Amino acid sequence: MTNSPQHRILIADDEPLYLRTTGELLRKSGYDCVCVPNAQQALEALQTQPFDLILSDLNMPGNFKLELLRAGRSNWSHIPLIVVTGVPSIPSAIESIRLGITDYLLKPVKFEDLLSSVRRAISSTEKTPPPATTEDRGPLNLSDRYPEIIGNSAPVMELLEIIDRLAESDANVLITGESGTGKEVVARAIHQHSHRKKHNFQVIDCTAIPESLFESVLYGHVKGSFTGAVKDQAGLLSLCHQGTAFFDELGELPLTSQAKLLRAIQESKFTPVGKNSQIEVDTRFISATNRDLETEVKEGRFRQDLFYRLGVIHIELPPLRDRGTDILQLAEHFLPELKPVKSPVNGFSAETLECFQQYRWPGNIRELRNVIERAATLSRTDCIELNDLPEQLRRQETNGEASSLDLQTASRNEAVETAEHSYLASLLEKYTGNISQAAQQAGLSRQGMHKLLKKHGLSANDYRN
């Protein structure tokens, strides 16, 4: 079986014998082949000639950081791309597949297998229908419907299905998970896809409201109701009428404040401090916490009735370490947003990607975001290398095996507590005991940071000077 010469293949490989032999065999099979020895010449050929397929080596001049693959997917995404490599690695395979290659073959590859892969790639392109117009495009898939939630791992797809089912309801939602897993992002996604999306999404940080001012801040007050009340002040709850109230760090709310909040939720109305009449409010409540509220209820630190009222639907967010290659997708997503305006950085080295996959990410997505911002700021090349990463990531190269053994023998809660302790200690060390800077880096209030430090028996004084 021969093929029309109109099927032109670009072959890029720095091994002269392989390049010549593969080109000759594909020409005998009816293909028109252009052979180049490096990525730079491949990019020049793509700019001047039409191709139906790219057949590329990985480890060749100009492509050690996957430059050809990235440019090919970015500028010529309609051309299928087959990778053939003699030096396979998990990071390169993951990144190649993430970039949307058609096939990943290992040298030495039988010509029959290569030819079969080539035929499938070109055939699939010929059968691909033209892009759908806005009018005839079908319903968006879940990933397209919720672009603010990055990832396509099994835990994330399950999460998107749950969000999609509950978004249009008015049921109260409790979101739990470790610090930094994206609880507020999920809460905003639920709000944005609900019938309340045109109204306010009000964040209420339970760690930032002193117990003595809880009623005033949440429900508002009238002028003269207490010392310092020099004018009428609307409460946060009144600002989200017909919208969504998001109670962040709900587990930090004192018991006295919990009772007052429960009454407002049950009655859908409240009384501002110093006022005789009540204000009615139509609000959906979404709450988030990294605490185990069921344990908090059993130990008397959280009201059971409030727990059931706010947790009609419970969503547990997966930690970043359980999300597989989502880590790489998030890294690629954050890089353009976080790098300095004039920075040359446009990608990650294979060693960096492998490091990202192996690291346990105790601070989850928030920590990944901070790591990328730091590395993109410090890097002097067009690629974030291993040396651009913080010490705690690079340290795993030498003691990663021991850490894995410790995590295998510890319970889930013990592992989480240990990771959180290490993360807090590293922040204190980085900022020499400066609570404000450490809290800002972790995305916490000073009060929230103090509570976590107390929980883990850490003192900022030990890290100063």
Side-chain angles (χ1 to χ4, degrees):
M1 177 181 177
T2 60
N3 299 277
S4 170
Q6 68 179 6
H7 292 142
R8 180 177 294 172
I9 300 175
L10 174 62
I11 308 175
D13 200 297
D14 64 340
E15 295 181 25
L17 178 60
Y18 175 84
L19 187 64
R20 185 177 66 253
T21 303
T22 303
E24 290 175 354
L25 290 172
L26 286 174
R27 289 189 187 99
K28 289 179 181 179
S29 298
Y31 294 100
D32 181 16
C33 297
V34 175
C35 299
V36 296
N38 56 58
Q40 183 60 41
Q41 291 187 33
L43 291 173
E44 292 172 358
L46 285 166
Q47 291 169 354
T48 58
Q49 303 176 54
F51 289 97
D52 299 290
L53 177 68
I54 302 170
L55 191 63
S56 174
D57 185 22
L58 280 185
N59 296 278
M60 64 178 171
N63 195 50
F64 293 119
K65 299 174 184 177
L66 308 185
E67 293 92 336
L68 176 57
L69 272 64
R70 295 180 194 278
R73 296 305 81 197
S74 175
N75 302 321
W76 299 279
S77 59
H78 62 287
I79 305 178
L81 194 156
I82 296 174
V83 165
V84 184
T85 180
V87 189
S89 70
I90 293 176
S92 68
I94 291 172
E95 182 66 359
S96 299
I97 293 169
R98 193 198 67 75
L99 288 170
I101 66 165
T102 304
D103 210 346
Y104 187 94
L105 304 175
L106 304 182
K107 295 178 181 178
V109 57
K110 293 181 179 178
F111 180 69
E112 293 80 4
D113 295 334
L114 176 62
L115 183 60
S116 177
S117 180
V118 167
R119 287 172 174 165
R120 283 198 307 271
I122 293 178
S123 175
S124 65
T125 304
E126 292 175 337
K127 293 177 182 178
T128 300
T133 63
T134 304
E135 290 76 18
D136 61 15
R137 188 179 292 125
L140 295 173
N141 61 40
L142 287 175
S143 295
D144 292 330
R145 277 175 56 82
Y146 299 92
E148 58 271 73
I149 300 177
I150 309 299
N152 54 17
S153 62
V156 168
M157 298 311 298
E158 183 180 348
L159 170 65
L160 293 180
E161 289 180 4
I162 294 172
I163 293 174
D164 202 50
R165 290 199 298 268
L166 66 85
E168 283 295 334
S169 77
D170 277 327
N172 294 334
V173 181
L174 175 64
I175 305 172
T176 59
E178 297 174 16
S179 294
T181 48
K183 294 185 279 293
E184 184 174 338
V185 173
V186 171
R188 288 185 182 276
I190 294 171
H191 172 75
Q192 288 299 324
H193 291 82
S194 74
H195 63 88
R196 299 177 180 270
K197 62 185 177 183
K198 294 182 180 180
H199 301 280
N200 199 21
F201 176 88
Q202 181 63 54
V203 178
I204 302 170
D205 185 352
C206 296
T207 66
I209 306 176
E211 186 175 357
S212 60
L213 297 178
F214 179 81
E215 285 188 84
S216 174
V217 172
L218 195 62
Y219 308 128
H221 61 259
V222 297
K223 180 180 178 181
S225 56
F226 56 86
T227 303
V230 295
K231 63 178 182 178
D232 290 356
Q233 181 68 52
L236 294 178
L237 206 54
S238 64
L239 299 179
C240 47
H241 177 58
Q242 296 185 325
T244 302
F246 175 59
F247 282 84
D248 197 14
E249 299 298 344
L250 179 70
E252 307 300 324
L253 205 59
L255 278 169
T256 53
S257 301
Q258 292 175 28
K260 297 167 185 175
L261 176 60
L262 176 64
R263 185 164 59 251
I265 295 173
Q266 289 175 329
E267 299 175 1
S268 296
K269 53 189 176 183
F270 56 87
T271 305
V273 177
K275 195 171 184 177
N276 294 324
S277 58
Q278 291 187 314
I279 295 177
E280 291 191 8
V281 65
D282 172 21
T283 302
R284 182 185 198 174
F285 294 91
I286 302 179
S287 307
T289 180
N290 58 7
R291 289 178 177 257
D292 183 345
L293 287 191
E294 291 190 33
T295 299
E296 297 291 300
V297 168
K298 291 177 182 177
E299 297 182 358
R301 292 189 293 269
F302 199 87
R303 293 181 63 101
Q304 185 179 52
D305 42 9
L306 181 60
F307 172 67
Y308 288 130
R309 178 69 65 171
L310 291 176
V312 176
I313 296 175
H314 180 198
I315 299 177
E316 173 78 18
L317 299 190
L320 185 57
R321 59 183 170 275
D322 291 344
R323 290 178 52 179
T325 56
D326 285 357
I327 297 171
L328 306 184
Q329 284 186 261
L330 285 162
E332 293 280 359
H333 171 77
F334 286 142
L335 184 59
E337 173 190 341
L338 298 176
K339 70 177 185 178
V341 176
K342 296 183 179 180
S343 171
V345 175
N346 58 21
F348 304 89
S349 70
E351 293 79 11
T352 297
L353 294 174
E354 186 170 15
C355 181
F356 282 175
Q357 283 293 114
Q358 292 178 354
Y359 186 56
R360 300 293 296 175
W361 299 108
N364 292 291
I365 300 173
R366 184 183 295 127
E367 184 184 7
L368 173 63
R369 183 186 176 93
N370 291 341
V371 164
I372 291 173
E373 183 173 15
R374 174 190 184 276
T377 302
L378 297 178
S379 178
R380 297 183 181 274
T381 66
D382 62 353
C383 188
I384 291 179
E385 304 286 355
L386 203 59
N387 288 336
D388 297 322
L389 303 182
E391 184 182 353
Q392 69 264 25
L393 270 76
R394 288 183 279 118
R395 193 185 303 140
Q396 72 177 349
E397 298 295 310
T398 56
N399 64 9
E401 186 175 345
S403 299
S404 299
L405 290 173
D406 292 340
L407 287 167
Q408 290 172 8
T409 57
S411 69
R412 178 183 179 278
N413 287 339
E414 288 172 340
V416 170
E417 291 294 314
T418 300
E420 189 174 64
H421 184 283
S422 298
Y423 178 58
L424 292 171
S426 68
L427 285 179
L428 291 176
E429 182 177 358
K430 177 179 179 181
Y431 294 107
T432 59
N434 187 308
I435 294 292
S436 297
Q437 291 180 344
Q440 183 178 5
Q441 176 84 352
L444 298 170
S445 65
R446 279 180 56 88
Q447 186 177 1
M449 175 61 75
H450 276 299
K451 287 184 177 181
L452 281 178
L453 294 180
K454 183 177 179 181
K455 170 186 171 184
H456 288 280
L458 292 169
S459 172
N461 290 328
D462 295 337
Y463 294 84
R464 291 176 180 143
N465 299 323

